[in-house]
Amino acid sequence: MEGLDRFNDISEVVEADRAHVWHHLSQHKQYDTGVDPRVIVEGKGMKVWDAKGKEHIDAVSGGVWTVNVGYGRESIANAVRDQLIKMNYFAGAAGSVPGAIFAQRLIEKMPGMTRVYYSNSGSEANEKVYKMVRQIAHRHHGGKKWKILYRDRDYHGTTIAALASAGQDQRAMQYGPFPDGFVRVPHCLEYRKQWDVENYGERAADAIEEVILREGPDTVGCLILEPVTAGGGVIVPPKGYWERVQEICKKYDILLAIDEVVCGVGRTGTWFGYQHYGIQPDFVTMAKGVASGYAAISCTVTTERVFEMFKDDPTDPMSYFRDISTFGGCTSGPAAALENMNIIEREGLLENTVKMGDYCLSNLAALMEKHKVIGDVRGKGLFLGAELVADRATKEPADEKKVQAVVADCMAQGVIIGATNRSLPGLNNTLCLSPALIATKDDIDHITGAIDGALTRVFG
């Protein structure tokens, strides 16, 4: 079988892509009018090269917050290769050596959690939570406590049930009708206050309790939240928010699920974002940075209390968690994840993330002093945002086309940044940065320098 080495002229690859590949999140009509699809052919460290040979510094870790330890990690590739030769796959009804070892290593980083369920995407990991909550409702609550609360602006995946819990409306448009029982609670972005109060974090959490009381506490089984909202605007919850959320969940016996698909495995400077806030979840989901994109893997991690609910009656054939993820049985994922974790520890990348995150935030603050179009800067670790506004006093969002023009200008300079997901009409105005955890001061200066130039050219 012929391989990629037969493509001496990369233009053949571009044309094959144009003719046959259906890209994610893309309007393909542009490729019929002379625009070439972007093909990334190589990556090393923080840099990637496209089919035209242009070099870019990647400030979004693979476009979607994934390549935490950077490109070209031979030790991960070798670990995967060695594992695949020995044992590549067996269904998850049985175990594997890397699966068992990674689960143990992972749990060591997550006090209070005890069990790891493998699948292959963040969407799927969250689906497992929803299925577990629904089965618990049937088996232990007489069919009650089946509703799942989710937060405005948060995002949990692309499947139909995950979209039912999407706090970004356009993401879900034209994909309904959706399953019942998913109920939205207000966001907690203090910059765009919904209540004029002093203790905003506590008030934003109290809004969750108001929804619970409206729906009926005996109907609500789970609350799912991102520790730091990602595509909805890089929202770091205000002081007091998480403590109050935990109190509310305990008060009404509601399971707390934390979606760490973006924040997990170092992105915020701790192994997991929730660990900044001293809370104890019942579920934690993760995907992207678990193996830094070197293999597909996601995990749904639970407490022993949750796990025990599926062992209560071994004589009942309906008592266990009747679920399977075919590619949750792949050994490449945990093999890659183990070496990914080793790299983070060996190179001190959690500490680097804190230092470089603080440095990047200070650079963004300096840009805010220079450019009136920046209304707010915020972030945690190497997960940062700069919200653009037409007027600081009114906080009217900046023109979305101009925001995208800033992203495009940076791209032309050879710097890849992101912006708030387009599924937030009228609020698609936050520039997003999530460089690899290996970022240096020079990298940060390069990235923020490109943003500086782009803001000057686009907004004056």
Side-chain angles (χ1 to χ4, degrees), residues 170-363:
Q170 195 172 331
R171 285 274 202 178
M173 287 179 180
Q174 301 181 3
Y175 296 119
F178 296 103
D180 293 335
F182 292 88
V183 182
R184 187 177 299 193
V185 302
H187 68 74
C188 63
L189 176 56
E190 189 169 8
Y191 180 68
R192 295 194 172 277
K193 287 187 175 182
Q194 300 167 88
W195 307 276
D196 187 16
V197 296
E198 191 170 320
N199 298 319
Y200 193 82
E202 292 181 13
R203 179 63 187 88
D206 286 341
I208 297 174
E209 184 174 32
E210 291 167 5
V211 174
I212 293 168
L213 293 173
R214 183 193 73 202
E215 295 293 321
D218 63 338
T219 73
V220 178
C222 181
L223 169 66
I224 185 167
L225 302 171
E226 292 184 89
V228 176
T229 299
V234 191
I235 302 169
V236 180
K239 182 180 178 181
Y241 181 81
W242 276 112
E243 294 85 351
R244 182 74 181 116
V245 165
Q246 184 90 82
E247 290 175 4
I248 291 167
C249 288
K250 288 182 178 179
K251 181 178 179 180
Y252 298 106
D253 190 23
I254 292 170
L255 297 169
L256 177 59
I258 304 296
D259 180 343
E260 294 271 0
V261 171
V262 171
C263 294
V265 196
R267 173 58 54 195
T268 66
T270 53
W271 283 107
F272 295 96
Y274 76 88
Q275 292 171 340
H276 288 286
Y277 306 106
I279 57 173
Q280 179 57 60
D282 300 284
F283 304 95
V284 179
T285 58
M286 64 194 75
K288 299 177 184 293
V290 174
S292 288
Y294 286 84
I297 180 175
S298 67
C299 305
T300 303
V301 184
T302 77
T303 62
E304 198 69 9
R305 174 197 172 203
V306 168
F307 182 70
E308 288 291 329
M309 291 184 193
F310 295 87
K311 294 169 59 181
D312 62 303
D313 186 359
T315 64
D316 183 351
M318 300 289 281
S319 67
Y320 66 95
F321 187 46
R322 302 182 320 284
D323 177 271
I324 188 171
S325 167
T326 296
F327 293 113
C330 289
T331 61
S332 56
L338 275 165
E339 180 55 20
N340 186 69
M341 184 176 282
N342 289 339
I343 289 170
I344 292 172
E345 292 181 323
R346 188 164 61 238
E347 299 183 9
L349 295 186
L350 295 184
E351 295 81 1
N352 188 65
T353 297
V354 172
K355 291 178 182 177
M356 292 302 101
D358 289 345
Y359 184 72
C360 189
L361 195 59
S362 69
N363 277 15

Side-chain angles (χ1 to χ4, degrees), residues 191-192 372-376 387-399 429 459:
Y191 180 68
R192 295 194 172 277
K372 292 183 179 179
V373 70
I374 300 179
D376 189 36
E387 183 163 344
L388 306 187
V389 294
D391 184 282
R392 282 188 180 176
T394 65
K395 300 182 182 178
E396 176 189 349
D399 181 272
N429 61 331
F459 290 97

Side-chain angles (χ1 to χ4, degrees), residues 78-91:
N78 289 337
V80 171
R81 176 192 178 277
D82 292 347
Q83 178 58 49
L84 293 182
I85 291 171
K86 189 169 186 178
M87 182 67 187
N88 67 306
Y89 174 86
F90 199 88

